[in-house]
Amino acid sequence: MIELASGAWRIFWRDELWWLLVAAALTALLLARMLRTERRALWNTLIFLGLSLVAEFAGAALEAGGAARAGVIVRDAAIVATGLAIIRLTGLAVFRAVLPALGMKTPRIAEDVVLVLAFFAWGMLRLRLAGLDLASLVTTSAVITAVVAFAMQDTLGNVLGGLFLELDRSVSIGDWVKLDDVSGRVAEIRWRHTAIRTRNGETVIVPNSALMKSRFTVIGDPDVEEVRWRRWVWFDIGADEPPARVLAAAEQALAGAEIANVAREPAPSCVLMDFGPGLCRYALRYFLTDPRLDDQTDTAVRTHLLASLQRAGIQLALPQHVEHRIKEGEAREAELRAREVERRVAALRGVELFAFLAADELAALAGRLVPAPFAAGDVITRQGAVAHWLYLLTGGEADVWVAAGDTPRKLVATLGPGTVFGEGGMMTGEPRRATVIARTDVECYRLDKAGFEGIIRSRPAIAEEISRVLAARASGLQETVAAAAAEAAAARERPETLLERIRAFFGIEEPPANARP
């Protein structure tokens, strides 16, 4: 047994094996320190190298034990495997450690192709060292080569496709792409496939040859650092509605709203795209800054669009059909209208501004209220704007912001159901004193000057009562604005004034003008 082991060791050990193992160990230590996120590939390579060396020793043992032919075959195969492991280890060191340290980031497909060529060259070299005439091998295996090439045409197409994708830079890692019904970010380009990670947490494997043969879309402009993807929100409006009015209402839905992931530049726009039977088809277009949130952002845009159309009194086009109405239906509609009036009267009666109105006056005023819904983030009123109407908030919450001078705006209050705001603009025509933004989806009624004019003309004494309520409300808001202005003035206090305060606090006299600092 000792003689067998000694003979196997003499056959196994070669002078160059010592240097090979030392170089492999040093390379492995270097990669273990530098490739903290890719250690799995390193360990797999080292395990393969160890198994190859064990197999090589086993072949030497067979050869020393008398099975020379079998031992030579096993040992030669193990030597080839050892060379493949060394080439793989060298590739990891060059492409994943040395080149990145030098600032050169190479695509993964380049590493794969170079390693495949190195594997092929090592195999040819080993055959040549084994005594095989490579020239005769090439001339006598033309048919085999043709058969292998035909069988591997898909693989070769994928390899060439991956190379061309990298060379012409048509798609790069990190790009957002859309291919048929798949859209996501390019995670990796390998020698056989391109991996696309979708928003659903899936990784779609697309053969490189399929990308070369089919059309795909790269989302965003490569000349602009920020990703901007134009989205289209379609809606239909009746043909009797003036297009200019529809376009203005649709663009206003996004112009004054604060919606996440909607780019300010280029600004959203609305266009009339087509005509249909009794309707016109419009498209509201905006640029999305985060392709991962396309569905959520589309939903928010549709919500703001619908609220803006409802405020403008524009209804979406519905399928046309013939309906036969009966008296019971008319009675039902009259009952619903009466309930709506009662609900509006109850809302008005709870407002301090209208608490002293008579029942018939409240009923008349309720008939002049116009529903005005707002989506979360919509600007309901803007500070400094002139608008001759007020809002009665019946559902949701809205934030009141006040800006003083050049300082950022400040949140001063949050309004809830039963609150009235904007009454100063309706009663006196003064500009808005604050900006009101919908915190949640808001249900409002809007009352303009014309709706209240008939009541105040029939009973002018109402103006005196309203003036007292308005004075009390304006006094509170004026105090808030004054506090914000004082805060802004303190922020802009001159250094000279601060210096005087510091000297006064510490009792330091002001030095003479010619004194040295």
Side-chain angles (χ1 to χ4, degrees), residues 191-203:
W191 64 273
R192 189 186 67 83
H193 68 267
T194 296
I196 301 176
R197 293 209 178 102
T198 68
R199 297 179 300 274
N200 299 326
E202 305 166 338
T203 300

Side-chain angles (χ1 to χ4, degrees), residues 344-345 347-358 361-362 365 369 390-392 420 423 426-427 447 452 455 459 462 466 469:
R344 295 184 182 186
V345 169
L348 291 171
R349 188 175 287 113
V351 177
E352 180 185 8
L353 191 64
F354 306 120
F356 49 84
L357 295 180
E361 293 173 334
L362 288 174
L365 196 61
L369 295 179
L390 60 78
Y391 289 100
L392 171 59
V420 168
E423 66 279 3
M426 186 190 75
M427 299 302 300
L447 177 65
F452 195 69
I455 295 176
R459 193 151 65 95
I462 295 177
I466 292 178
V469 176

